[in-house]
Amino acid sequence: QVQLVESGGGSVQAGGSLRLSCAASEYSSRYNCRAWFRQAPGKEREGVARIVTDTGSTYYDPSVKGRFTISRDNAKNTVYLQMNMLQPEDTATYYCAAVRCGTWSATLWGQGTLVTVSS
């Protein structure tokens, strides 16, 4: 069973940056499309960015477009989320997932990593 392991969460002040990583334990073509989701306390989980790892094609939720960048390193089976200009409303647990391409429908989840942005 492929596992997704996130890292890179932490605490930062508003306006700061963090980079999250999501490493897959092994390559599988079943998990070609990957995404980052987040869930703030008391709110539903929402998708923020996704990528097709073989083409590099990306999609962003409007709430993060221009501030967050999703990328991949296929040699490392790793997907990244560079988060810039962070705001307190970005505070959430961030989850990496494999998704059905072109959708937010997840087929595999990571364990999550907490991002806290203070004002």
Side-chain angles (χ1 to χ4, degrees):
Q1 175 73 10
V2 175
Q3 293 183 321
L4 301 177
V5 180
E6 299 102 331
S7 60
S11 297
V12 65
Q13 290 191 325
S17 299
L18 282 173
R19 189 176 82 153
L20 307 181
S21 299
C22 172
S25 57
E26 61 185 84
Y27 170 77
S28 172
S29 60
R30 293 175 56 194
Y31 305 121
N32 180 45
C33 295
R34 304 265 286 278
W36 287 96
F37 292 74
R38 66 184 179 187
Q39 187 167 20
K43 295 189 176 181
E44 292 188 354
R45 194 172 299 188
E46 61 177 0
V48 296
R50 59 181 190 241
I51 189 166
V52 182
T53 58
D54 58 357
T55 66
S57 177
T58 59
Y59 176 84
Y60 297 92
D61 183 83
S63 66
V64 305
K65 194 170 186 179
R67 299 188 299 124
F68 291 10
T69 302
I70 189 170
S71 62
R72 88 293 194 204
D73 183 336
N74 289 341
K76 297 180 179 179
N77 293 328
T78 299
V79 171
Y80 303 97
L81 186 68
Q82 177 68 42
M83 304 184 293
N84 298 329
M85 295 183 287
L86 284 161
Q87 299 301 315
E89 53 266 34
D90 295 314
T91 293
T93 298
Y94 283 71
Y95 297 89
C96 173
V99 294
R100 293 184 174 86
C101 293
T103 78
W104 295 115
S105 178
T107 57
L108 184 68
W109 290 100
Q111 82 286 358
T113 186
L114 179 63
V115 172
T116 304
V117 185
S118 59
S119 57

